[in-house]
Amino acid sequence: MIGRTARSLSLGIVALLGVGTLTATAAPPLPLQIPPSVAQGNQWDVRAVTGGYQLTLHLDTPAPMRASLPLLAVDGKPLGVAKQSPDRKSLTLVSADPAVLKARDVRLVWSGDLGKQSGMSRGITAAGPTDADWLKARRGPLLPADPGALGKYKVDTAEYNLGNEAVYLPGLKHRSELLGKVYSPRGAIGPRPLVVFLHGRHEVCYGEPIHPSDNDKPWPCPAGMKAIPSYRGYDGPATALAGNGYQVVSISANAINAWDSEAYDAGAQARAELILDHLALWRKWSTVGGAPFGTRFVGKIDLQNVGLMGHSRGGEGVARAAVLNADRGGQYGIRAVLPLAPTDFARATVPGVAMSVVLPYCDGDVSDLQGQKFYDDTRYSVGGDTAPRSTVTVMGANHNFFNTEWTPGQSVAPSNDDWFGDEKASPCGAKYAGRLTAKEQQAVGTAYVAGFFRLQLGHEKQFLPQFDGSDSRAASAGKAVVRVVSQAPLGSRRDVNHFDKTLPAGAVTGKVTATVCAGVTTTGLRAATPTCMATDDWSNAPHWGTAWFAAKTPTTAVTQLKWTGTNGVVRVSVPAGQRDVRRFAALTFRAAPDPAGAPKTDLSVHVVDGHGRAAVVPVSAVSDALVRMPGSNDSGLPKNLLRTVRIPVSSLKGVDLRDVRAVELRTDRVASGSAYVSDLSFSSPGLGLSAPAVLLPKLSASDVTVKEGDKGTHMVDFWVTMSRPSIRPVSVYVETNGELGESVGDVGRQLVFKPGQVRQKVTVPITGNTRDSYDLPFSLVLSVPHDGSLNESFGHGLVLDDDPTPTLTLTNLKTTEKTGLVSFGVKLSAPSDKYVSFTGVLKDGTAVIRKDYTSANDEGTGPVDRSIDGYVEPGQTTGDLSVKILDDKLKEPAETFSAVIQEIDGAELKVPMTLTATIIDND
């Protein structure tokens, strides 16, 4: 498993914002009475609570259900991830940043949209310099067979529904439905490969509830509302697969969508568990049978040949499920995983399993295309990994339209185009020539989903060119422009240089520099280490933007070339024993133009043999990798994505392919320029060997509970353990995560396990104090392992407050008529980090409410309000318990009333407690 399943602590998110690290976590339990506002504006307020300031934004309509994480931004600066109320009309976070007290503007933005102008606006002010190039972009040759075509089998469909709360998901701490749509090849003989589809995070219910208060429980759907059938939205690829002999089931995950804002990992673990729960059903149905299918599927399903497709947050779910299955011994043969427009909040790797990540260029939800990191992080994560992997960038495709139930005009519930803005000018606008219609996009999705699983599960090799980087295309994909980056399996690949480390002395000559870079910095800051890009918009840097649960983990390292002359040479030598390249189909590497440079650039590739002869190929002759992608530096466009430069070995004329000594990148095509390069290799397309990576040592983080202490800083030890010793080093990144407050130290580093070593200590500083506080949950997160897999990747920490709860003393009130608003005596025995609140009711004595006094909460209209409430703010020892004294012109004796305090939160007070107020006449 990927996360601790015993319990789910508060969601802790870290956001690296260029100007420092800010954290947000779910707020501690609220006091019985809402604390008074210390700052407010239009539809938002700030209240003093434990850990700092509780910022709440109130919306007129529910926030959309998106894959990206909801953030609250103050004056344009995101503070962190907000927790949504069940009805999604309020969003709350706790921040220690005092800037919230001076806020002028608070708004909802999204993790994938950081830096976009005007928050969520996607309007384009001008055409990009390469937009026209992409409207006439090259298309590769047609495949010999069309993966999107209907097969020889008729397709039977059925559904099963075991109930809306049929299974408990420990990663969610709620119960989920077990509901799926089944697509079967009629008349197919023998066990069939099984493909499971999992939809992403979308609205759960539609319609109007009969009782509006039912919205407090988002699942099952309240009376009067219907569940949105997102699982029915993939008929195209499901039918294409079933028609060609594959068994497909598309499952529903509405319960997870309803509750995952409470999950420590945004629901990835729960989605993985749900998939395995469905596979357990299919193990039963395919062996002994059972309701509702009887013996229909007995002997018909091959559970050792399974593929998973996950859309949106479902993409992260299927990636986790593949690793979870391997960690549990590989009980199911999960051999192929396709994350479709996925999230990747925690930087997990997916070793051993064939993977293709589909990236829609016009994704308006996961608009930073963070799924790119699944490919980047996995490609060299395990030595000897024989599985192939690829990315498929689909130009003109958005996030939603791969699912017909998320597409206007096709869905039963309201739906939308997730990309919005200028319909004609934007290269992602609905009426732009390069934008795909919904049906065109669905045809592309069908072609690549069906083609991938037919290749990997059915070994239908006619589809190899679809995923080898040659951009071969399916006829059914129509006009779509698709760019594929491929890592061939190890058995048919020879890596020459990853370009992630400094080149040896003498490798770079002439007027060119080669610098290893990783990460992104904002345009207003100078980075301490080389970063690849300066941008205020992370959406345009999919390789280098920060992940939300692993903000300190380094991102992809590449080599940045800069040149000011045509004599620059970057020479990569080929070692002896590896110089015969005749068996390989192509020389490949990844490349992209530097966004700080010209929108188009060029290099020449020289393949040099032992006689000094060279075959020369301009990059521009074989690839548009050095042409900037469409867009005009606005709204997350253009994406700066590394793309494939693929040179067929057969085209390298005039050199001895048995004795290739070097590959050179030369700057002789353009007088000055800059570009990124990565992953130089010779390779041939191949199926490789894909299977659950059950032999890898499994990495887990412990849970830790520690007392806070009264003073100074002491250390608490987490242990990161491996399931067994390894004969080679194993590494993993670790970091503390969550609202760390003043108690928990900020830790982030890489652990390296030496051969034979099975556990390491991670020391986290804890700072004590003598103030009563709430217990503080936080996480230790593991990410991007090398030569290992992630088992329990979230270690849960809990700092127990060990300070005594202060005693509250309330004293009677004696005042005169003219005082107006006045407070009983309120004193706390010691300062507290908690917001202390207490409530009660007012009772008449000789003084009568609304004649002699009123509640401070009473506006004087409607029923009499007899409530009274008081508070002591964090860090203070005196507080407020106010009533309003009314003045009159009558001479009268002293009058009394009482306040009965009935409830207390945050301090010790014996209740009920009766206080007496005496009003002295002033007439």
Side-chain angles (χ1 to χ4, degrees):
M1 63 184 177
I2 295 291
R4 187 77 62 183
T5 58
R7 57 195 170 89
S8 173
L9 294 176
S10 298
L11 177 63
I13 314 285
V14 174
L16 183 63
L17 300 173
V19 296
T21 300
L22 297 171
T23 60
T25 188
L30 289 176
L32 297 175
Q33 292 293 313
I34 298 174
S37 174
V38 294
Q40 60 185 349
N42 183 25
Q43 296 189 297
W44 58 267
D45 58 64
V46 179
R47 302 176 188 274
V49 297
T50 301
Y53 306 97
Q54 177 183 287
L55 174 63
T56 303
L57 177 66
H58 306 278
L59 305 177
D60 293 329
T61 57
M65 183 76 79
R66 287 183 57 174
S68 289
L69 295 168
L71 314 176
L72 289 185
V74 173
D75 299 332
K77 176 183 175 182
L79 287 190
V81 176
K83 183 174 181 179
Q84 295 173 299
S85 61
D87 65 3
R88 304 200 314 280
K89 286 187 177 181
S90 64
L91 298 102
T92 302
L93 63 78
V94 175
S95 173
D97 190 340
V100 298
L101 297 177
K102 300 179 181 179
R104 297 181 304 276
D105 176 72
V106 175
R107 66 181 59 198
L108 167 65
V109 297
W110 298 89
S111 61
D113 297 341
L114 286 185
K116 282 188 166 70
Q117 293 183 5
S118 302
M120 293 177 63
S121 171
R122 295 186 177 89
I124 297 294
T125 56
T130 61
D131 289 3
D133 297 86
W134 286 95
L135 288 176
K136 56 184 180 183
R138 71 178 81 201
R139 291 178 173 84
L142 281 172
L143 291 165
D146 188 350
L150 296 177
K152 66 178 182 179
Y153 296 100
K154 299 287 187 181
V155 177
D156 293 326
T157 61
E159 291 196 2
Y160 59 92
N161 186 350
L162 277 63
N164 286 328
E165 296 181 292
V167 62
Y168 180 77
L169 299 177
L172 192 69
K173 300 189 74 174
H174 285 278
R175 301 189 72 83
S176 169
E177 76 271 34
L178 282 175
L179 168 64
K181 183 173 182 179
V182 182
Y183 305 78
S184 305
R186 185 186 302 172
I189 305 300
R192 315 309 297 179
L194 175 65
V195 183
V196 179
F197 291 173
L198 174 64
H199 67 82
R201 193 170 196 260
H202 192 68
E203 301 288 342
V204 174
C205 308
Y206 69 104
E208 292 297 327
I210 295 174
H211 307 291
S213 61
D214 288 347
N215 275 338
D216 292 340
K217 185 182 179 184
W219 182 261
C221 293
M225 302 187 76
K226 295 181 179 180
I228 294 179
S230 296
Y231 68 101
R232 294 176 180 163
Y234 305 105
D235 281 352
T239 301
L241 280 165
N244 284 281
Y246 296 77
Q247 181 72 35
V248 181
V249 58
S250 183
I251 66 175
S252 177
N254 277 338
I256 298 176
N257 288 343
W259 296 113
D260 65 359
S261 67
E262 299 178 358
Y264 61 88
D265 63 352
Q269 176 76 15
R271 290 179 171 90
E273 292 165 348
L274 181 64
I275 290 167
L276 297 185
D277 286 335
H278 277 272
L279 289 177
L281 288 175
W282 283 97
R283 179 170 56 192
K284 174 186 174 185
W285 292 334
S286 64
T287 53
V288 299
F293 297 119
T295 60
R296 174 180 172 183
F297 292 107
V298 172
K300 297 292 183 68
I301 309 296
D302 183 1
L303 286 174
Q304 291 307 308
N305 199 14
V306 175
L308 307 177
M309 184 281 283
H311 185 185
S312 190
R313 286 200 193 179
E316 193 165 11
V318 299
R320 294 283 182 98
V323 178
L324 184 64
N325 175 64
D327 287 344
R328 293 177 178 174
Q331 56 184 323
Y332 307 108
I334 297 174
R335 302 179 186 277
V337 171
L338 190 148
L340 172 63
T343 59
D344 179 14
F345 298 137
R347 301 283 300 277
T349 58
V350 193
V353 177
M355 178 173 63
S356 188
V357 184
V358 177
L359 304 172
Y361 190 75
C362 296
D363 194 321
D365 190 345
V366 189
S367 49
D368 54 1
L369 303 186
Q370 59 194 256
Q372 171 67 51
K373 293 184 182 65
F374 280 127
Y375 177 93
D376 289 344
D377 291 342
T378 305
R379 70 197 198 284
Y380 302 124
S381 68
V382 172
D385 188 343
T386 59
R389 50 193 56 89
S390 59
T391 64
V392 177
T393 302
V394 183
M395 308 303 294
N398 73 355
H399 187 84
N400 285 352
F401 289 178
F402 289 110
N403 186 315
T404 57
E405 291 297 336
W406 298 1
T407 304
Q410 298 178 334
S411 59
V412 298
S415 56
N416 68 291
D417 180 353
D418 51 279
W419 191 282
F420 55 92
D422 192 311
E423 291 189 331
K424 293 182 179 179
S426 166
C428 291
K431 296 181 180 179
Y432 186 74
R435 176 68 190 273
L436 301 178
T437 67
K439 290 185 176 180
E440 288 170 339
Q441 178 172 329
Q442 289 153 12
V444 176
T446 292
Y448 280 88
V449 171
F452 175 71
F453 290 116
R454 290 179 66 181
L455 172 63
Q456 297 301 333
L457 302 183
H459 292 181
E460 297 186 57
K461 294 184 179 179
Q462 67 269 32
F463 302 119
L464 270 172
Q466 194 178 6
F467 298 95
D468 68 359
S470 64
D471 295 325
S472 297
R473 55 196 173 91
S476 60
K479 71 175 187 179
V481 175
V482 178
R483 291 293 177 260
V484 174
V485 171
S486 173
Q487 184 186 43
L490 189 61
S492 57
R493 186 182 87 244
R494 178 175 298 164
D495 294 328
V496 180
N497 198 299
H498 298 171
F499 284 123
D500 60 351
K501 294 181 175 61
T502 302
L503 293 168
V508 180
T509 58
K511 293 184 176 181
V512 61
T513 60
T515 306
V516 176
C517 67
V520 173
T521 188
T522 61
T523 54
L525 293 176
R526 190 182 207 101
T529 56
T531 53
C532 296
M533 287 178 58
T535 180
D536 292 318
D537 186 349
W538 287 2
S539 294
N540 61 18
H543 300 282
W544 303 302
T546 298
W548 288 96
F549 293 112
K552 305 176 192 71
T553 298
T555 52
T556 308
V558 301
T559 291
Q560 185 177 39
L561 304 181
K562 293 185 178 181
W563 63 95
T564 55
T566 56
N567 65 343
V569 179
V570 177
R571 181 181 175 92
V572 180
S573 297
V574 179
Q578 299 182 19
R579 294 169 178 167
D580 188 342
V581 300
R582 290 174 297 172
R583 72 181 182 94
F584 297 108
L587 170 67
T588 64
F589 60 95
R590 296 195 293 171
D594 182 347
K600 298 180 187 178
T601 192
D602 205 0
L603 295 163
S604 65
V605 181
H606 291 233
V607 179
V608 184
D609 68 11
H611 297 286
R613 297 172 300 199
V616 180
V617 180
V619 168
S620 58
V622 294
S623 173
D624 51 22
L626 294 178
V627 176
R628 187 176 300 169
M629 301 187 88
S632 62
N633 292 319
D634 189 8
S635 307
L637 300 178
K639 307 297 184 192
N640 293 284
L641 281 168
L642 296 163
R643 285 157 281 140
T644 299
V645 178
R646 188 175 190 273
I647 301 171
V649 168
S650 61
S651 70
L652 301 175
K653 304 298 185 183
V655 294
D656 185 356
L657 296 176
R658 296 168 299 181
D659 187 27
V660 171
R661 298 297 180 93
V663 177
E664 297 176 348
L665 302 179
R666 297 199 172 200
T667 66
D668 51 5
R669 302 285 302 175
V670 178
S672 64
S674 53
Y676 309 116
V677 292
S678 179
D679 300 335
L680 179 67
S681 68
F682 287 96
S683 65
S684 297
L687 285 169
L689 178 62
S690 177
V694 295
L695 298 179
L696 289 175
K698 305 168 186 62
L699 292 153
S700 297
S702 67
D703 289 346
V704 170
T705 299
V706 61
K707 290 184 177 180
E708 175 193 70
D710 290 338
K711 61 181 180 179
T713 298
H714 61 284
M715 302 298 175
V716 61
D717 296 332
F718 283 85
W719 288 94
V720 178
T721 58
M722 292 208 305
S723 58
R724 63 167 180 81
S726 174
I727 61 173
R728 54 188 175 187
V730 174
S731 65
V732 68
Y733 287 92
V734 299
E735 60 186 82
T736 49
N737 178 275
E739 177 57 66
L740 306 180
E742 297 178 357
S743 298
V744 181
D746 196 9
V747 173
R749 62 190 178 96
Q750 186 183 35
L751 296 182
V752 179
F753 291 80
K754 298 176 182 178
Q757 191 176 12
V758 294
R759 72 176 196 154
Q760 287 202 54
K761 183 167 61 178
V762 178
T763 300
V764 177
I766 305 295
T767 301
N769 62 43
T770 56
R771 298 185 304 275
D772 185 37
S773 320
Y774 290 103
D775 297 340
L776 179 65
F778 66 100
S779 297
L780 185 78
V781 181
L782 310 184
S783 62
V784 192
H786 190 270
D787 283 325
S789 68
L790 295 180
N791 183 15
E792 295 170 356
S793 64
F794 280 75
H796 298 301
L798 183 64
V799 179
L800 296 175
D801 180 74
D802 55 1
D803 300 307
T805 302
T807 300
L808 181 66
T809 301
L810 303 177
T811 55
N812 295 332
L813 170 65
K814 188 173 184 179
T815 187
T816 58
E817 281 185 344
K818 64 180 181 180
T819 51
L821 197 65
V822 65
S823 177
F824 289 86
V826 177
K827 187 171 181 60
L828 205 59
S829 62
S832 173
D833 283 341
K834 293 181 179 179
Y835 187 96
V836 177
S837 66
F838 36 98
T839 63
V841 295
L842 296 167
K843 293 186 177 181
D844 291 349
T846 55
V848 178
I849 197 164
R850 279 194 178 173
K851 176 186 174 187
D852 302 303
Y853 74 98
T854 67
S855 165
N857 303 319
D858 194 339
E859 296 179 355
T861 59
V864 174
D865 185 349
R866 289 188 173 272
S867 67
I868 184 170
D869 53 76
Y871 63 90
V872 181
E873 293 187 349
Q876 303 298 312
T877 56
T878 58
D880 180 81
L881 180 63
S882 292
V883 291
K884 189 183 298 182
I885 306 300
L886 303 179
D887 197 5
D888 60 32
K889 304 302 181 184
L890 300 176
K891 185 172 179 60
E892 53 194 350
E895 298 172 310
T896 63
F897 65 94
S898 59
V900 181
I901 305 303
Q902 299 169 321
E903 297 185 47
I904 175 76
D905 184 72
E908 296 287 350
L909 178 72
K910 188 175 181 179
V911 291
M913 177 184 187
T914 300
L915 300 172
T916 300
T918 303
I919 307 173
I920 306 298
D921 183 65
N922 66 339
D923 298 304

